[in-house]
Structures are given as C-alpha cells and as structure tokens.
Amino acid sequence: MHEPKGMLRVAVLVETSSAYGRGLIRGLSEYTRQNPELILQLEETGPIKGVPGWLSQWTGHGLVARVETSEIAQELLGKNVPIVNVAGRRLSESIPHVDTDNRGIAELAVGYFVRRRFLNYAYLGSVGSDWAQWRRQAFEDVLRSHRKSLFYFEQDGAEPGKSALGEWLRSLPKPVALLACNDRFARMVLDVCLEEALGVPDEVAVLGVDNDELLCTLSQPQLSSIVPDAEAIGFHALAILHRLMRGEAGGALRQWIAPLSIQARESTDTAATEDRVVRQALRYIHGNALSEIGVGDVVGRIGVSRRLLEQRFRKVLGRAIHEEIFRVRLQEAQRLLRGTKLPLKDVALRSGFKRADYLSVVFRENLGMTPGEYRQKRS
C-alpha cells in the first residue's frame, strides 16, 4: 500500500508514562488534526534514556524529541532531518527548543505564596538537571524582586538521600513555603515530612510542578501543583517542525510557553501564621466549607468566643470568617467549571452554593460574568 503523495512522517520520542509526556502528545495530535498531511510515529515508552532501536530503520521527514543526553542529540542529528527538542535541557544550539517558561512558574509560585503571607521560602531541586537549575534561578530572581531570600537543596532522588533531605527540612525556619522542581520531588518532601513529624501545610507548605493527577491525589496530604501547558508546547513544537520540513524558516529557536495555573490542594491549604487558633479555624473551613457550615460551626469547633476568633481572623488574613468560607466555595465552583462538564446545578451543589440561580448571581457580582461564560473562557 503506497503512502499518499505529500505526506510527512514525524517520529516522536516522548515518554507516554508521565502526565506531562502525554500532554505533549495530545498537543502534537491536535496539530496533526488541523494538518492531516502529517503522520506521527511513536511507541509507548518510559523516560527517554536513549534512541530506540526502531528509529535506526526509520526513514521520515522530521523529529520531535525529548533530547535528554548529548548522545541522543548526536544520533538524532545524524538522521539529517529537522528536529525540535521538547526536553528541559539544551544540548545543541542547532536544535530548536520549546519548553515551559520557568519564569512563569516562579511568578505563579511566588504570587501564590506571598498572598498567603509567607516570609520563608525554600526550593528542592534535582542534581544534574538543567531544567531544575533554571527553575530554581527563576524562583530566586522573582523572590529577590519581593525582597525575599531562598533556601535550596539539591536531591538526586535516591533513597539514602532522604536522611539529608530530612535534616535540611528540619533546619528551615517555619512556617516555610517550599517549591519542588516537580511533583515527584514534592512527593518526596511529603514523605520525609511525615517521617520527621513536620506538619504539612502548617509548618511546610509544599507546591509541585506538572500537576500529575495520579501523583497529586494519591499523596498524603494531596499535593498542590503548578499546571504546565504541555499541550501548547507539543502543538508549537510540531508547528515549528512543520515549517522546517517544508523548507521555511522555523521562527525563533527558543520558545517558552507560560504555565496555566495552580491547582491548589491540601499541601498548601493554609496561611503562614503562627496563630494556632487561626490555623485550626482555616483547617476546619477548608475541610468543610463545601458542606452546610456557617460561622457558628467554626466557632463551636475551635472553642473560643466568636468575637475573639473574628478579631484574630481579621488580623491575620484581613477578612472575616464568612468571607473565607465564601472564598473556598467560589474557588471550588471555578475549579469544577474549568475541569468538568457537570451541569450548573451539580456544580452549585458540590461547591456549597446549593442552587444554580444563586451561583449565577455570585459569578456576576464577583467575576463580572455568568458561570457559562466563565466555563467557555477558562476550560
């Protein structure tokens, strides 16, 4: 069977084992849907540690690859076809590179933590990983613009290193906001905090990167994470490659794609306060705001007078108890509208607003749009 004339075959060396890799592949697939003359060739695989055997017999027109080593770079360049790199390192200046904007990651993380009034900041990086170094440098630069300093530690991920990581975590001033280079390293922090009896998020608030749903939701507590736009990275990488395969200029050799958002979960669900009473109130609110609780329930749970709790709450957070309950509910409604196709009545019920008509009023008054408009813009 002959291949139709004008078709362009693209080999894809991207792991299917990670959420980030699968996001890249979805972006590639979307580009081919809009440009059906492209044919993707890939195999299910784990992390790309070398050039797969099947590529030696491959005869195609271009490559999108996670170029993780200089050996991979040299072997791929030997194919004499255009290549676009989507790995977190640059091993050849001649290969165009599309990756997550680490400055954007840093700005999201710092903004998120500063709003929670943290004074102490830490970063866990990966030994020998370019992307982790760039991420740390960006985090440090953005913190410097806020007149904050950074404690950082590099971990190779090996089990024996956990004792050193534990010692470093114990030495940090508390409470501390910690950004890990990715979700796997963030989970390592959560494990060590459990072993060292360090409270998460009260003593160490932990934020990962990649928003791998499986890793994040199976963590104890569930892990907050920065959501990269992996699909856009894949889409733009293939767009550059497509132009190169057609003999056109590919455009900029470096493209940085901004992350989408932060998916907040339990590992950062606190304010950086030494006020034990306010921390307890926040913990109760964040765990129960989606059910039918009011200010009286919070006061009864904490066991202090309503007047005292309101005063301390306003002093620490600058808002009232009922405003915090409302904020948590609105945040959950936004999350459900962005990430699900639930009908509005179910979104209202699950986010604690009970009725769809009331949720519509809330969105118009607070966001200037209806829930439907919000879903259309943000989903």
Side-chain angles (χ1 to χ4, degrees):
M1 185 174 178
H2 294 290
E3 187 176 283
K5 187 176 180 180
M7 300 300 286
L8 296 171
R9 280 174 281 113
V10 177
V12 179
L13 303 188
V14 172
E15 78 279 6
T16 57
S17 59
S18 73
Y20 185 79
R22 292 190 295 273
L24 290 173
I25 293 168
R26 283 196 298 272
L28 298 172
S29 178
E30 174 60 22
Y31 188 86
T32 61
R33 189 182 67 81
Q34 299 180 23
N35 298 273
E37 69 272 23
L38 298 175
I39 301 173
L40 299 182
Q41 297 178 249
L42 73 158
E43 288 186 355
E44 188 172 346
T45 180
I48 305 299
K49 297 180 179 179
V51 176
W54 62 266
L55 199 67
S56 62
Q57 304 299 319
W58 175 82
T59 55
H61 304 92
L63 286 151
V64 174
R66 300 269 267 173
V67 184
E68 300 284 3
T69 68
S70 55
E71 291 77 16
I72 292 175
Q74 290 307 309
E75 195 165 343
L76 295 184
L77 287 168
K79 301 298 289 185
N80 294 315
V81 296
I83 305 166
V84 177
N85 179 20
V86 289
R89 56 178 56 193
R90 294 191 298 269
L91 293 165
S92 173
E93 293 300 318
S94 64
I95 300 177
H97 186 205
V98 185
D99 195 13
T100 297
D101 179 7
N102 288 301
R103 177 80 184 194
I105 284 177
E107 289 174 347
L108 269 182
V110 172
Y112 180 79
F113 284 136
V114 164
R115 287 193 298 273
R116 283 155 178 76
R117 304 191 177 191
F118 280 92
L119 300 177
N120 306 305
Y121 294 84
Y123 178 81
L124 176 63
S126 172
V127 172
S129 297
D130 292 347
W131 56 271
Q133 298 288 331
W134 300 334
R135 207 157 281 179
R136 189 262 298 170
Q137 290 165 4
F139 193 42
E140 195 165 24
D141 287 346
V142 176
L143 282 171
R144 192 177 296 117
S145 71
H146 287 264
R147 298 183 179 179
K148 311 285 185 187
S149 57
L150 179 67
F151 301 90
Y152 68 89
F153 184 86
E154 287 189 330
Q155 172 76 20
D156 65 7
E159 194 69 25
K162 281 192 173 183
S163 60
L165 177 57
E167 184 178 344
W168 176 69
L169 289 170
R170 287 195 306 272
S171 74
L172 295 173
K174 310 295 190 306
V176 61
L178 186 148
L179 174 66
C181 59
N182 64 14
D183 290 339
R184 186 171 66 85
F185 277 66
R187 278 205 67 178
M188 190 185 304
V189 173
L190 296 181
D191 291 343
V192 173
C193 283
L194 182 62
E195 293 171 6
E196 300 290 339
L198 294 171
V200 178
D202 293 337
E203 292 182 278
V204 185
V206 184
L207 178 64
V209 182
D210 286 345
N211 196 41
D212 187 312
E213 290 280 350
L214 190 61
L215 284 178
C216 292
T217 57
L218 289 179
S219 298
Q220 290 294 331
Q222 291 194 357
L223 176 64
S224 297
S225 188
I226 293 174
V227 185
D229 199 348
E231 293 187 24
I233 293 170
F235 187 95
H236 284 280
L238 192 50
I240 291 171
L241 184 68
H242 195 190
R243 290 195 294 272
L244 293 172
M245 289 188 297
R246 291 183 302 198
E248 303 169 9
L253 286 178
R254 308 279 179 263
Q255 284 195 21
W256 311 119
I257 306 299
L260 293 171
S261 61
I262 290 178
Q263 178 61 64
R265 299 184 181 90
E266 296 167 353
S267 71
T268 59
D269 204 358
T270 189
T273 175
E274 297 179 356
D275 191 316
R276 180 182 58 84
V277 168
V278 174
R279 286 206 311 270
Q280 289 177 338
L282 284 170
R283 180 68 60 79
Y284 179 73
I285 290 170
H286 293 170
N288 297 276
L290 307 185
S291 58
E292 295 183 25
I293 67 165
V295 175
D297 298 292
V298 181
V299 173
R301 178 76 176 197
I302 305 306
V304 298
S305 73
R306 180 167 181 155
R307 183 169 178 270
L308 176 62
L309 184 57
E310 288 279 16
Q311 286 177 339
R312 290 167 74 163
F313 215 86
R314 282 191 178 278
K315 182 179 179 180
V316 171
L317 297 178
R319 55 181 175 267
I321 298 170
H322 74 88
E323 290 173 327
E324 179 65 10
I325 295 172
F326 178 85
R327 187 191 69 81
V328 173
R329 289 173 175 168
L330 181 57
Q331 187 178 64
E332 176 65 7
Q334 290 173 287
R335 186 189 72 80
L336 290 171
L337 287 168
R338 287 195 309 268
T340 76
K341 295 181 180 180
L342 289 170
L344 189 58
K345 61 183 180 62
D346 291 339
V347 172
L349 189 63
R350 293 191 185 194
S351 58
F353 288 105
K354 299 183 183 178
R355 302 193 324 271
D357 58 343
Y358 177 50
L359 182 61
S360 296
V361 171
V362 165
F363 266 68
R364 283 195 295 270
E365 290 182 350
N366 290 272
L367 301 176
M369 64 183 79
T370 67
E373 290 168 341
Y374 178 88
R375 170 174 268 165
Q376 186 175 11
K377 289 183 177 181
R378 301 297 174 87
S379 63

